[in-house]
Amino acid sequence: MVLDSGGVFMDQVEVESVGSSRDPLEPDVRAPRTAATSRPPAKQSNVAKKEKVSHNGLPAQTNSSQVAQRRPSSSSGAMPRPPLRRPLSLEITPQRLRRSQEQMADRRVVQPPWRSGSAAPSPPARSLTSPSLGAGGWMRRSESTCSVNYSPGLRVGRGQMRPATSLPHIAKREVGRKPAVPSRPCLLVALRPLNLEQEKQTFFQSDYKYEPQFEYAQPEPRSVLEKYQEGSGLFLEQAVGIMECVLKKFGSYENFEEVTGGSILPKCQVWAAVRKYLQKEGCVGEVVVRLSDELLSQAVMVVESCRPTLTINLAGARQHWLEGMLRHEIGTHYLRGVNNNLQPWSTAEGRKQFGLKPANPTEEGLASLHSVLLRKQPYLWRAALLYYTVYHATSMSFSRLFGHIARFVQDPDVRWEYCLRAKRGQTDTSQQGCFSKDQVYLDGILRILRYRRTIDFKMLTSLGKVSFEDVETLRPLAVLPRTRIPHFMRDQERYLQHLHHIVAVNDLDDAALQHLLP
């Protein structure tokens, strides 16, 4: 909640004045005392003291003639009381009115790094703290609404919001016109079935024997689905080994989640955690943040209309895991994207020109490592179970897969989510087949851990969205000024110690990795 401190103080002054019939700094005007209107002596001495008090800091005048002028004569009758007024010393102007229009006009508009330059469009004067009016129905809020990362001259008063002109550009919606619908939404959003809740209810009522029949708003082209239709078993042994480590220590996934993840956070605490992390990375005001309960993944970072947008799944925003998710999405995906825009290979043509390998699995592998990097018990459970579920979805129907992964997960709702991810894109889930994109996390993790001693991680981040295999080739061509390194990677030695700890906790064997990845 954003409070106007000037308004609050004004309310306090008005409350304190209730119960007093006159202004405490006004001269005391009294009629001559009679027996019927006599007052206690203590009050008289108190009044005498008040008459000596200066008015607004000026010395009190005490000569008898002036006192006589103030007091009316008994023959002229009682004079009407002057109107009550607030003393000048208590006149308060709310903070939002103190700043002149000239000062507001002179304030520099803070633009995110990818929109700097004379050609950058001016953002409209609009606050981003209101709910989104977009078709998705998500709550939209810019984390630039608090006054952080500002020089003293530009800092607004405590309790005040920054003006909308200093926020990232959000186009206004015209009244009476429907919002523009993008021709092709984000892949992860497009693959969410329209009839998800109905099919889930039918599946649960059938005692987990029904095969869901999903419908999609815009079915993905066959070429996209074919790209991810084959599941790999290269790291299946490592995936099973990681999950068995967790079950051996915690007994069940549910206990592991409760002990290491903590409770699910309310929206206000999610906003606070996101804002705090953006301050750590020095990118407040650069990312639009949304909260959603409609994502299939924990979070997703995309660019919409030149604005990086982070959407967080509220169902997965756990107390001890949320910052790991922010390291994944902002500390890795976003900062590598910013660095990538500085490089000559930032475009598709540039990548072809330099002969670059695909950014994945390095991109997602690095981000997934950062999700658990600073945890006391950095188990790679999620990446392992996704890999395992996708592999078996290749040869199983939805209901059979649901029963198969009960070995590792008892909670039916959690099993539903993992099976849904592995089967997304399918309409008839009685058929064999998978959506293998989720295997990229464990694949990338293990490849990076295999070569962790030889990778220059700071350079890998500075180069942008490139594979670790291209680092040495691109090093002499890199544009390094203005590149940004996440706070947790600045101490390279400590960073490497965290990676060694991840290998040990998950019982990974370096010799086995070297054999699989010579």
Side-chain angles (χ1 to χ4, degrees):
M1 180 182 294
V2 180
L3 299 177
D4 187 328
S5 57
V8 172
F9 186 55
M10 180 67 76
D11 292 340
Q12 292 174 346
V13 172
E14 292 172 354
V15 169
E16 289 170 0
S17 66
V18 173
S20 173
S21 61
R22 65 180 181 87
D23 194 312
L25 297 183
E26 285 293 322
D28 188 17
V29 180
R30 299 171 182 264
R33 185 192 299 184
T34 64
T37 60
S38 62
R39 296 177 183 266
K43 291 289 183 179
Q44 291 177 359
S45 61
N46 212 7
V47 170
K49 288 181 181 178
K50 287 186 179 179
E51 289 179 349
K52 294 180 182 180
V53 174
S54 63
H55 184 72
N56 290 337
L58 296 177
Q61 298 176 350
T62 57
N63 62 61
S64 58
S65 62
Q66 289 177 340
V67 173
Q69 288 175 3
R70 284 194 217 142
R71 301 194 177 211
S73 63
S74 57
S75 60
S76 62
M79 292 181 64
R81 287 179 59 84
L84 296 178
R85 64 181 181 85
R86 192 179 307 282
L88 295 177
S89 60
L90 293 181
E91 290 295 334
I92 299 174
T93 303
Q95 289 183 356
R96 62 179 178 273
L97 301 179
R98 288 181 185 175
R99 202 173 293 275
S100 65
Q101 293 183 355
E102 290 77 13
Q103 289 174 323
M104 295 294 290
D106 291 339
R107 182 175 296 172
R108 287 186 59 192
V109 175
V110 178
Q111 295 283 2
W114 60 90
R115 301 187 64 228
S116 59
S118 58
S122 298
R126 174 181 172 185
S127 172
L128 304 183
T129 58
S130 58
S132 169
L133 298 176
W138 288 321
M139 180 177 181
R140 179 177 302 170
R141 170 172 176 168
S142 168
E143 290 309 308
S144 59
T145 54
C146 69
S147 55
V148 292
N149 288 5
Y150 265 70
S151 60
L154 295 178
R155 190 180 297 277
V156 283
R158 183 175 180 82
Q160 246 184 323
M161 293 174 58
R162 280 174 49 193
T165 51
S166 64
L167 304 180
H169 174 64
I170 298 287
K172 288 186 177 180
R173 179 188 178 186
E174 295 184 21
V175 179
R177 177 177 294 184
K178 294 182 179 180
V181 178
S183 58
R184 178 63 59 184
C186 167
L187 179 62
L188 300 183
V189 175
L191 291 178
R192 178 183 173 85
L194 294 174
N195 59 339
L196 179 61
E197 294 303 324
Q198 300 94 312
E199 291 301 287
K200 180 179 180 180
Q201 184 177 358
T202 304
F203 178 76
F204 276 56
Q205 290 175 348
S206 72
D207 195 23
Y208 315 133
K209 293 181 173 59
Y210 171 72
E211 304 292 354
Q213 305 295 303
F214 292 130
E215 299 173 0
Y216 303 91
Q218 292 181 321
E220 287 299 312
R222 180 172 296 274
S223 59
V224 175
L225 299 179
E226 287 178 351
K227 178 182 178 181
Y228 297 109
Q229 69 179 356
E230 294 295 333
S232 170
L234 179 63
F235 301 116
L236 188 63
E237 181 180 343
Q238 283 72 28
V240 173
I242 290 168
M243 291 187 289
E244 288 179 343
C245 274
V246 172
L247 296 181
K248 182 178 179 180
K249 183 172 180 63
F250 296 95
S252 67
Y253 166 77
E254 289 73 20
N255 190 41
F256 162 73
E257 185 178 58
E258 181 179 352
V259 171
T260 65
S263 59
I264 299 221
L265 297 175
K267 285 183 179 180
C268 61
Q269 293 185 29
V270 174
W271 288 128
V274 172
R275 185 182 302 109
K276 181 178 179 181
Y277 186 82
L278 289 172
Q279 292 178 36
K280 284 184 180 180
E281 301 297 1
C283 52
V284 171
E286 299 176 10
V287 180
V288 175
V289 179
R290 295 175 177 175
L291 302 184
S292 169
D293 54 6
E294 298 181 351
L295 277 184
L296 299 183
S297 56
Q298 295 296 308
V300 60
M301 172 71 76
V302 297
V303 177
E304 296 182 0
S305 303
C306 300
R307 302 185 314 264
T309 303
L310 171 62
T311 304
I312 299 173
N313 187 345
L314 282 171
R318 292 189 170 270
Q319 179 182 2
H320 305 307
W321 290 355
L322 180 58
E323 184 167 343
M325 183 274 294
L326 296 173
R327 288 194 298 270
H328 181 120
E329 300 294 345
I330 296 174
T332 310
H333 291 322
Y334 171 67
L335 291 185
R336 275 169 58 90
V338 170
N339 293 343
N340 191 75
N341 287 341
L342 302 174
Q343 308 304 330
W345 48 83
S346 60
T347 62
E349 293 76 11
R351 296 186 72 88
K352 282 184 180 181
Q353 177 185 347
F354 291 96
L356 301 189
K357 294 179 174 63
N360 274 321
T362 296
E363 178 77 17
E364 292 295 352
L366 192 64
S368 298
L369 282 171
H370 294 164
S371 294
V372 303
L373 188 72
L374 304 183
R375 293 181 190 171
K376 294 179 180 178
Q377 303 178 88
Y379 286 101
L380 299 166
W381 169 276
R382 183 172 179 79
L385 183 54
L386 286 171
Y387 190 96
Y388 180 88
T389 306
V390 166
Y391 172 78
H392 287 287
T394 306
S395 58
M396 295 182 181
S397 67
F398 191 102
S399 61
R400 187 181 168 198
L401 179 66
F402 185 89
H404 182 76
I405 66 172
R407 171 187 174 187
F408 298 108
V409 181
Q410 282 74 49
D411 188 330
D413 288 305
V414 176
R415 274 191 281 162
W416 166 270
E417 293 296 333
Y418 277 92
C419 292
L420 178 62
R421 288 179 65 108
K423 286 288 188 179
R424 57 187 169 183
Q426 286 188 332
T427 52
D428 181 4
T429 63
S430 66
Q431 303 297 315
Q432 299 176 355
C434 69
F435 185 75
S436 65
K437 190 175 187 297
D438 282 340
Q439 287 194 323
V440 74
Y441 303 108
L442 186 64
D443 187 288
I445 286 171
L446 297 181
R447 290 178 188 275
I448 290 172
L449 292 178
R450 158 68 177 86
Y451 296 102
R452 66 188 183 279
R453 294 181 177 87
T454 58
I455 296 174
D456 184 342
F457 287 98
K458 283 188 177 181
M459 182 58 67
L460 176 61
T461 300
S462 298
L463 294 175
K465 293 186 175 288
V466 301
S467 169
F468 71 87
E469 299 173 78
D470 287 329
V471 168
E472 296 307 318
T473 303
L474 298 177
R475 185 189 296 269
L477 307 171
V479 178
L480 298 180
R482 298 193 308 152
T483 56
R484 296 155 70 171
I485 304 297
H487 75 280
F488 52 82
M489 193 184 280
R490 290 167 191 163
D491 186 338
Q492 192 88 344
E493 183 177 349
R494 186 179 179 189
Y495 179 83
L496 191 57
Q497 289 174 356
H498 286 304
L499 297 185
H500 293 328
H501 183 53
I502 291 173
V503 171
V505 166
N506 290 276
D507 199 20
L508 296 172
D509 184 6
D510 277 321
L513 292 179
Q514 291 170 10
H515 175 72
L516 291 172
L517 302 167

